[in-house]
Amino acid sequence: MLLKYKYKLKAHKSQTVIIANWLEMARKQYNYRLAERLNWFEATRTLLNACPLNVSVVSVDQIYQNIPEFRIQTRNGRKKDSNGNPITRKGDKHPNIVNGYVVWEAVQLADLAQTKKLFPEYKSMHSQVLQDVIQRVQTTMDNFTKPDKNGKTSGRPKFKGRHYYNSFSYPQLSNANIVKNANGRFCINLPKIGLVPFVYNRSIPLGFKVKTGTVIREVDGYYISFTVEDKTVPVEVAEIQPTLDNSKGIDLGLLHYAVTSYGEFIEVPLFFRLSEDRLSKLQVRLAKKQKHSKPWKILKRKIAKLHQLIARQRLDWQFKLAYHLFSNCQVIFLEDLQIANLLRRCKAKLGDNGKFLPNGQSAKSGLNKSLQDAAFGQFVRVLEYVAWKLGKKIIKVDPKGTSQYCWECLNKVSKSLSERWHSCPRCGQELDRDYNSALLIQKIGLLLTQEEDITSVKTAVRAYLTEESRALP
């Protein structure tokens, strides 16, 4: 099992300077290596309607001109076979070009020695920290060129500006790096930086070993994030059979943040909205200052700290709410919301004269701000983590139709967004619209786990009508 633990660093002034310098050097190295990869990528592309055998952007000699055909291993490899002998040995030759493709990660890692000769300041950086920069470039390019399990790739990689490269990693740390200094204060021993004091507010769980450490720059200082692992602890998902008594349905919304099938209404906290006035005043003051002046930097920092406070308030509240929701149930059913679709802009409307017509985007912008303030996607991830930690379970339900059908008789009761009361003419149910949705989500979720044919409200309605028709004489 892998876990992450994050701690606040209390670095001395000299150590803060070293960390800041390392971040800047790592950023420059990242941009240079990414430029190498993108230049080669563009040079080897051809148009879809052109044959790659006789059409090329540049000649083959130019493509491989600065890339050696082989690299020679300078020391024995760390990995060993069953007899204890190293799998790869000093002096082994490895190809840099395989089937026409350059093994870029190996080429760039080998080129770091030349980088240190040309730029001696890189000798002050720990070698593994510098190697991790190359691995980040490799991961970025893999995400760009190789599709994931859904067949999608990420966008073209971007170069990192000064404020967008905020971390570097030590790939090999251990529990022995956490020590106490002469004053009895907990410190993390970071190679080539020294003993850095940190707030050890919660100890590493017994049996877990520290694997990696990432130094992160945030607006209020530096943090370190440990990846800890215990291979004896299995990663298990709780197998719980949902019933009416041990489950709960939840409807998420903006009028009420969450409404449960137990009849509990949870209000929207509005963290961003409550701080919006203060934030706008700071931004107005910032706009009047000269860029990069001392007053401008002070205001910029205040704005960043306010955004950080809002994000932390929201996350803390969501964790407390997640634990509260699981306090009296084992399984939670909730809608499988597509947040990207909810935040999508309205389609443009063109009139007969070619001019744009009003499409409701100005009103939608306010709705989008409220949706982003609510952070439903983050809340679902928090719920999943809390469920795993408590040995409980969440099940997602198709959201289509959950507000338009009666939970009791599955009769369709069409309602506009402004109608907040559910009144069923068939069975006489009278209740709040969101409460009806929560009860329906729980009902569909229970049917989903018990009957294979039912996957949504529509399939449940179809099955219900089929049973009714069979019951008729």
Side-chain angles (χ1 to χ4, degrees), residues 166-180:
N166 294 314
S167 66
F168 60 81
S169 298
Y170 287 92
Q172 289 182 325
L173 287 182
S174 67
N175 297 53
N177 289 89
I178 301 174
V179 296
K180 283 187 178 181

Side-chain angles (χ1 to χ4, degrees), residues 68-135:
E69 189 176 354
F70 294 97
R71 64 184 185 279
I72 300 174
Q73 191 163 325
T74 57
R75 63 181 180 184
N76 292 339
R78 291 192 181 92
K79 293 183 179 180
K80 297 182 180 181
D81 57 19
S82 56
N83 298 324
N85 299 318
I87 297 175
T88 56
R89 297 178 178 275
K90 182 178 179 180
D92 288 354
K93 292 178 70 176
H94 303 282
N96 285 331
I97 302 169
V98 179
N99 297 328
Y101 291 95
V102 178
V103 186
W104 272 108
E105 185 176 5
V107 170
Q108 292 184 332
L109 284 171
D111 193 49
L112 288 177
Q114 185 66 20
T115 299
K116 291 181 179 181
K117 290 180 182 179
L118 295 173
F119 304 97
E121 61 268 23
Y122 279 97
K123 293 179 181 179
S124 65
M125 285 185 72
H126 192 261
S127 60
Q128 291 185 347
V129 173
L130 201 52
Q131 290 165 10
D132 181 71
V133 176
I134 307 299
Q135 289 164 2

Side-chain angles (χ1 to χ4, degrees), residues 221-417:
Y222 293 98
Y223 291 79
I224 186 161
S225 176
F226 294 126
T227 301
V228 298
E229 183 182 26
D230 188 352
K231 294 182 179 179
T232 62
V233 180
V235 180
E236 292 183 352
V237 178
E239 294 296 333
I240 302 171
Q241 181 59 39
T243 64
L244 191 62
D245 296 327
N246 72 356
S247 65
K248 179 191 291 185
I250 294 179
D251 178 67
L252 301 176
L254 295 178
L255 188 61
H256 302 286
Y257 191 85
V259 179
T260 72
S261 56
Y262 290 1
E264 184 180 7
F265 289 74
I266 297 161
E267 297 302 320
V268 181
L270 300 174
F271 292 113
F272 179 78
R273 292 288 191 178
L274 293 174
S275 301
E276 192 174 16
D277 185 54
R278 184 183 168 197
L279 192 61
S280 64
K281 287 179 180 178
L282 286 171
Q283 288 172 331
V284 168
R285 288 172 57 192
L286 180 72
K288 296 177 181 178
K289 304 296 181 185
Q290 185 180 353
K291 264 195 173 184
H292 306 296
S293 64
K294 191 172 181 180
W296 182 87
K297 289 179 181 178
I298 291 171
L299 283 171
K300 195 82 171 172
R301 184 177 176 83
K302 284 184 178 180
I303 292 170
K305 278 194 170 185
L306 184 54
H307 276 296
Q308 185 188 58
L309 175 65
I310 293 167
R312 287 178 174 177
Q313 284 176 332
R314 185 187 294 119
L315 185 62
D316 177 66
W317 182 83
Q318 288 178 340
F319 265 99
K320 290 174 180 175
L321 177 59
Y323 279 105
H324 169 71
L325 292 173
F326 274 114
S327 62
N328 54 0
C329 70
Q330 298 291 318
V331 180
I332 285 181
F333 299 105
L334 74 160
E335 298 168 298
D336 186 12
L337 296 174
Q338 302 298 317
I339 307 298
N341 294 343
L342 293 175
L343 296 172
R344 189 171 292 165
R345 292 180 61 86
C346 299
K347 289 184 178 180
K349 292 183 179 179
L350 283 174
D352 296 334
N353 57 358
K355 293 184 177 180
F356 287 103
L357 299 175
N359 63 345
Q361 180 56 41
S362 58
K364 183 71 166 58
S365 298
L367 179 64
N368 286 354
K369 186 186 289 186
S370 296
L371 284 168
Q372 289 174 326
D373 189 16
F376 291 131
Q378 178 179 273
F379 179 60
V380 171
R381 291 193 295 273
V382 168
L383 267 179
E384 289 173 337
Y385 171 75
V386 171
W388 167 79
K389 191 174 180 181
L390 296 176
K392 299 184 180 182
K393 192 175 184 179
I394 74 164
I395 298 174
K396 295 181 181 179
V397 174
D398 189 347
K400 294 178 182 177
T402 52
S403 61
Q404 303 297 320
Y405 288 84
C406 177
W407 79 274
E408 181 67 33
C409 62
L410 295 181
N411 177 44
K412 186 172 184 179
V413 185
S414 299
K415 296 182 285 291
S416 64
L417 193 60

